[in-house]
Amino acid sequence: MKPDRSFWRPATAVLALLIALAPSAATARAAKPKAKSKTPALTLPTPTVWELKNGLKVAYVGLHDAPVVTVQVWYHAGSKDEPAGHHGSAHMFEHMMFRGTAHVRPQDHAKLLNQLGGVVNATTDADFTYFYNLLPAAYLDFAVKLEAERMRNLLFRPKMIDTEREVVKEELRTALNNPIQAGLRTFFATEFSTHPYGWLPGGNIQDLDNTTPADLQKFYNTYYQPNNAMLVVVGDVSEDDVRAVADRYFGVIPAAAEPPRPAAKKAEPAQTKMRRVTAEPSRLGIVLAGYHTPAATSPDIYALQVLAMILGQGDSSRLHRRLVREEKMALQAGSNLLVREDPGLFLLLGVFLDPSHTAKVESLLGDEVAKVQKHGVTAKELSKAKKQLLSTFAFGTESVQGMAKEIGTSWVLTGDPSTYLSSSLQKIRAVTAADIKRVAQTYLKKENLTVVIIPVQGAAKTPTEGAK
């Protein structure tokens, strides 16, 4: 699996949390500054954004270093938008959208673009589903035509649906057979008692079995509409060409009713008591701790990102130094901020092999949080973390694919695909040591903490506290 250098890191799987530690370390090594260097003056092109009469948003950035273009379509429809009893519906569409439309045979979307030297794929998240095509710039028209075709002309054939349902179920079985991924499911179900972030995009087998073609058709007709989507085009093409193809293929699709937002009626209540749950054992022991944090639009997000970098991203971070190098209690330790459209999570992670280290790993994670709350961070740590974040941002946007992904993610999470990226750079630079200490005291409180222990096989089971 390739490391995700996305600025937002909208991860929803424990493997992404584990991998998130590695790219951060790699980024830190690659971007190590000279001792007296200033914060790098990173700037980004501002996307040109417009809206068609049917409500489709379009974002364009011209990057002309290579004759390639990415065409991405982002749907504001993720697992949190699924109706009760139909978890996994959003994930189904990640597969079904490649399985044939009124004018394109099954698998031909990918096959035809692959033959042109292109690459296609899709991702389902809690907040969105997006489809991307990376191909020679000369074929912009063809890629946009294919995306517009499957926006509204998907065929709902029972045999195809049954086949893709089994594929999704097999992916889910594989995940459930992994104690670490199963433990992550336990974590989110414990962390979120009300909000649909409590389930992961993979869904569950019973709901997948109970979801009919008519249920899927309803979800498609509700969310796969132009007024719930954004077309993002980045690469060696002109704005005039993008405007022309967007109008030609997407402009003829009528707007639909505004889609419902189930999560709006299921706001997560404030957590008032620490929760601790023990999951099924694994060959690796893991302490996974999480604190509720505000949504992506909160001004505190930037200080929390810097705090996550200082605490636990890279070999020189506080958690790695303390738990791995000094105390030798863990194989890996780190932290990550999951930024989401609705309130997200600040995560701490400790991975170990010795069953006797369980309690100590949990204690050390909490102790490092307490140190920040009491003493704050140093000017050197703050400066280094900002540079690491900005370099991560630079890596994430150095390709047409990465730039488009940041634009699409920013649109879903904040509603602002144009100026938000550039303003984020300034807000990261503006974070102070006082901001770090304040957000640590505000959000990383014991009563706001959920801990899931994945014990080493053969270890005694610890008590469960405060779980729903």
Side-chain angles (χ1 to χ4, degrees):
M1 183 181 294
K2 294 182 180 180
D4 179 9
R5 288 192 167 102
S6 167
F7 177 66
W8 293 107
R9 298 180 186 273
T12 55
V14 74
L15 293 181
L17 301 181
L18 294 168
I19 291 169
L21 303 178
S24 299
T27 298
R29 288 192 294 270
K32 185 179 290 184
K34 295 180 180 179
K36 296 183 180 180
S37 64
K38 296 181 180 180
T39 302
L42 174 65
T43 58
L44 294 173
T46 299
T48 301
V49 180
W50 65 94
E51 185 173 315
L52 303 188
K53 291 180 180 179
N54 59 11
L56 179 78
K57 282 76 175 176
V58 185
Y60 160 77
V61 174
L63 295 179
H64 305 287
D65 295 335
V68 297
V69 66
T70 185
V71 174
Q72 300 183 1
V73 177
W74 289 70
Y75 292 94
H76 192 179
S79 58
K80 81 173 190 302
D81 299 299
E82 296 163 344
H86 298 291
H87 300 164
S89 294
H91 187 193
M92 282 285 289
F93 280 95
E94 180 187 329
H95 293 253
M96 290 167 53
M97 292 283 276
F98 292 95
R99 295 289 288 169
T101 67
H103 304 102
V104 178
R105 291 180 297 182
Q107 309 294 6
D108 268 10
H109 182 119
K111 181 180 178 181
L112 292 170
L113 292 183
N114 290 159
Q115 289 173 344
L116 296 174
V119 178
V120 303
N121 215 326
T123 296
T124 306
D125 191 77
D127 294 315
F128 57 78
T129 303
Y130 85 102
F131 301 83
Y132 69 79
N133 313 267
L134 179 65
L135 67 157
Y139 300 105
L140 167 69
D141 184 282
F142 188 42
V144 173
K145 182 178 181 179
L146 287 173
E147 285 295 349
E149 167 69 15
R150 65 180 175 180
M151 175 178 277
R152 293 307 315 136
N153 292 324
L154 188 66
L155 296 180
F156 287 79
R157 296 161 300 181
K159 185 176 180 180
M160 176 274 287
I161 292 172
D162 289 343
T163 298
E164 294 309 313
R165 190 198 326 271
E166 291 306 313
V167 172
V168 172
K169 285 166 60 178
E170 186 56 33
E171 291 179 357
L172 184 55
R173 289 189 189 99
T174 301
L176 293 174
N177 286 335
N178 182 325
I180 296 174
Q181 294 202 32
L184 184 73
R185 286 178 168 269
T186 299
F187 174 80
F188 276 94
T190 306
E191 182 75 66
F192 292 98
S193 61
T194 303
H195 195 282
Y197 284 157
W199 62 80
L200 297 183
N204 68 66
I205 289 176
Q206 182 179 352
D207 281 5
L208 287 166
D209 282 336
N210 292 338
T211 299
T212 67
D215 295 326
L216 292 168
Q217 179 87 59
K218 182 178 180 181
F219 189 87
Y220 178 73
N221 288 341
T222 301
Y223 293 100
Y224 279 65
Q225 297 285 358
N227 48 304
N228 192 48
M230 168 169 272
L231 169 67
V232 184
V233 179
V234 177
D236 190 23
V237 294
S238 71
E239 180 183 333
D240 287 345
D241 285 343
V242 175
R243 286 183 180 273
V245 295
D247 286 338
R248 184 180 307 132
Y249 298 118
F250 282 102
V252 297
I253 302 173
E258 284 300 307
R261 299 295 173 196
K265 299 179 180 179
K266 297 181 179 179
E268 185 68 20
Q271 185 173 327
T272 58
K273 183 180 179 181
M274 178 184 174
R275 302 167 185 167
R276 178 187 283 105
V277 171
T278 301
E280 292 300 312
S282 169
R283 286 180 295 177
L284 281 176
I286 297 178
V287 175
L288 184 59
Y291 303 85
H292 293 284
T293 55
T297 52
S298 169
D300 285 343
I301 288 297
Y302 309 99
L304 286 165
Q305 286 176 323
V306 177
L307 174 57
M309 183 68 72
I310 292 171
L311 266 180
Q313 296 190 20
D315 291 348
S316 62
S317 66
R318 289 191 176 195
L319 292 177
H320 187 90
R321 290 201 318 266
R322 179 82 182 277
L323 278 76
V324 179
R325 288 161 50 184
E326 296 172 7
E327 302 282 351
K328 295 181 172 52
M329 286 285 146
L331 301 174
Q332 184 59 279
S335 60
N336 198 17
L337 180 68
L338 298 190
V339 184
R340 287 179 158 169
E341 181 182 16
D342 293 341
L345 293 172
F346 192 102
L347 291 155
L348 305 175
L349 188 73
V351 182
F352 55 95
L353 277 175
D354 189 333
S356 68
H357 291 177
T358 307
K360 185 65 173 177
V361 167
E362 181 181 350
S363 174
L364 290 173
L365 291 174
D367 188 50
E368 288 302 313
V369 169
K371 285 182 179 179
V372 175
Q373 292 171 325
K374 185 175 181 180
H375 304 294
V377 299
T378 67
K380 183 178 180 180
E381 286 179 312
L382 180 63
S383 175
K384 180 180 178 181
K386 289 181 183 181
K387 292 171 184 175
Q388 289 174 320
L389 270 174
L390 294 174
S391 68
T392 299
F393 204 144
F395 278 120
T397 56
E398 65 183 352
S399 67
V400 295
Q401 196 80 323
M403 174 65 73
K405 183 179 179 183
E406 297 297 347
I407 293 168
T409 307
S410 294
W411 169 63
V412 171
L413 298 189
T414 73
D416 182 0
S418 55
T419 61
Y420 194 85
L421 291 176
S422 296
S423 67
S424 294
L425 302 181
Q426 299 304 319
K427 290 172 182 176
I428 288 171
R429 293 187 181 104
V431 170
T432 66
D435 293 328
I436 300 292
K437 188 174 183 180
R438 176 181 56 79
V439 297
Q441 293 173 341
T442 301
Y443 301 107
L444 309 192
K445 299 182 293 187
K446 186 173 182 180
E447 60 267 29
N448 190 34
L449 173 63
T450 295
V451 176
V452 168
I453 307 294
I454 302 174
V456 179
Q457 289 172 347
K461 190 170 182 179
T462 57
T464 293
E465 302 173 15
K468 60 178 180 178

